[in-house]
């Protein structure tokens, strides 16, 4: 599909708009999880359907080696702001226009509610600076669960409950091996293509997207800490990675 899995920053050029439309969009990604989110992203980039086939995306995991506090929401947003300033400067030097070019770079931060105390501040800073957020409450496992079933009840902010429900889904364990009957919470951090990609019976993404929209429509509070459950990962899939599905 011609979708890169990495690469350098936008090359500095002084050739105006020449060839501008053919350049891939560079998407710079910060993830709270070290395993689950990056694996999910690579699966859907490899197997997903581009909204427009000629528009390519190259993803960059900016905090792949980060540990500790550098994977907390506010810290990631602060790091993302610095990245955004740099890549937008590079894009301007390459002749791209923020208002006109589809391939203007984007910086995304993916994080969960968990027990973080700085989420509203992270949202305010991201909105001010132009960093984009994909947020899941209580955690990313909700988004994975929605590929199997609708779920609108509160988890009480407990990610383990979402994970337990995910692991109990029919056929989930078998995605790790035909004879496997149960998987641990640690094992389930690894995403398998069969858990998210469409089957002959079901378009998993379309179902998950519909479920997520209904959940988001029910959230009226301006306090992100109370959005239980909630996920806007489809915005990242469609507006960031430019996929129409997978």
């Amino acid at each position: 599909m011609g979708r890169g899995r990495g690469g350098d920053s936008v090359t500095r050029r002084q050739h105006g708009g020449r060839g501008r439309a053919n350049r891939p969009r560079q998407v710079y990604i910060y993830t709270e999880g070290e395993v689950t989110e990056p694996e999910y992203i690579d699966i859907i980039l490899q197997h997903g359907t581009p909204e427009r086939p000629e528009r390519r995306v190259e993803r960059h995991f900016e905090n792949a080696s980060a540990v500790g506090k550098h994977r907390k929401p506010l810290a990631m947003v602060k790091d993302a702001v610095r990245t955004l300033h740099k890549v937008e400067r590079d894009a301007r030097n390459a002749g791209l226009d923020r208002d006109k070019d589809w391939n203007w770079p984007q910086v995304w931060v993916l994080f969960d509610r968990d027990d973080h105390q700085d989420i509203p501040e992270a949202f305010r800073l991201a909105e001010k600076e132009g960093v984009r957020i994909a947020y899941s409450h209580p955690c990313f496992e909700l988004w994975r669960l929605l590929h199997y079933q609708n779920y609108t009840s509160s988890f009480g902010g407990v990610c383990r409950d979402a994970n337990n429900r995910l692991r109990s889904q029919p056929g989930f364990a078998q995605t790790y091996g035909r004879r496997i009957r149960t998987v641990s919470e640690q094992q389930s951090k690894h995403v398998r293509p069969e858990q998210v990609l469409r089957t002959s019976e079901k378009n998993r993404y379309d179902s998950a997207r519909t479920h997520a929209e209904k959940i988001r429509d029910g959230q009226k509070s301006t306090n992100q800490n109370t959005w239980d459950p909630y996920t806007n990962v489809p915005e990242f899939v469609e507006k960031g990675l430019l996929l129409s599905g997978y």
Side-chain angles (χ1 to χ4, degrees), residues 83-96:
T83 296
L84 182 64
H85 291 169
K86 178 183 183 302
V87 301
E88 287 192 336
R89 182 176 62 249
D90 289 348
R92 284 191 293 270
N93 288 341
L96 296 178

Side-chain angles (χ1 to χ4, degrees), residues 137-201:
H137 190 318
C139 56
F140 192 78
E141 276 62 37
L142 168 65
W143 172 239
R144 297 173 66 192
L145 175 64
L146 295 180
H147 287 71
Y148 285 87
Q149 67 162 92
N150 192 15
Y151 193 88
T152 58
S153 299
S154 170
F155 286 102
V158 180
C159 183
R160 179 165 293 179
D161 290 351
N163 182 274
N164 288 342
R165 185 170 288 273
L166 173 66
R167 288 186 288 122
S168 70
Q169 294 299 309
F172 181 84
Q174 287 69 50
T175 63
Y176 296 88
R178 186 172 58 182
R179 297 184 179 180
I180 293 178
R181 294 295 174 261
T182 61
V183 294
S184 68
E185 185 174 344
Q186 186 66 28
Q187 286 176 302
S188 71
K189 291 183 178 180
H190 293 279
V191 183
R192 296 294 182 257
E194 299 90 337
Q195 298 166 7
V196 294
L197 300 180
R198 74 179 66 203
T199 66
S200 58
E201 296 83 20

Side-chain angles (χ1 to χ4, degrees), residues 14-56:
Q14 301 296 331
H15 302 309
R18 190 172 68 190
R20 190 171 62 197
N22 296 323
R23 296 177 182 139
R25 171 187 284 174
Q26 308 297 322
V27 180
Y28 302 84
I29 307 166
Y30 289 80
T31 65
E32 181 178 352
E34 298 180 44
V35 176
T36 306
E37 293 90 329
E39 287 187 352
Y40 164 77
I41 291 166
D42 278 345
I43 287 170
I44 67 172
L45 276 176
Q46 181 178 357
H47 299 282
T49 303
E51 182 182 17
R52 293 180 59 171
E54 74 276 13
R55 293 185 172 182
R56 297 177 296 118

Side-chain angles (χ1 to χ4, degrees), residues 1-11 13 22-30 41-42 44-46 50 52-62 83 87 96 102-108 236-237 239-243:
M1 293 172 56
R3 290 181 174 269
R5 293 196 162 206
D8 298 327
S9 297
V10 178
T11 305
R13 297 179 184 174
N22 296 323
R23 296 177 182 139
R25 171 187 284 174
Q26 308 297 322
V27 180
Y28 302 84
I29 307 166
Y30 289 80
I41 291 166
D42 278 345
I44 67 172
L45 276 176
Q46 181 178 357
R52 293 180 59 171
E54 74 276 13
R55 293 185 172 182
R56 297 177 296 118
V57 168
E58 291 181 353
R59 67 98 179 111
H60 310 260
F61 292 128
E62 289 297 290
T83 296
V87 301
L96 296 178
W102 66 269
N103 47 1
W104 184 260
Q106 293 186 357
V107 180
W108 284 82
F236 168 69
V237 173
K239 296 180 181 179
L241 302 182
L242 301 180
L243 298 177

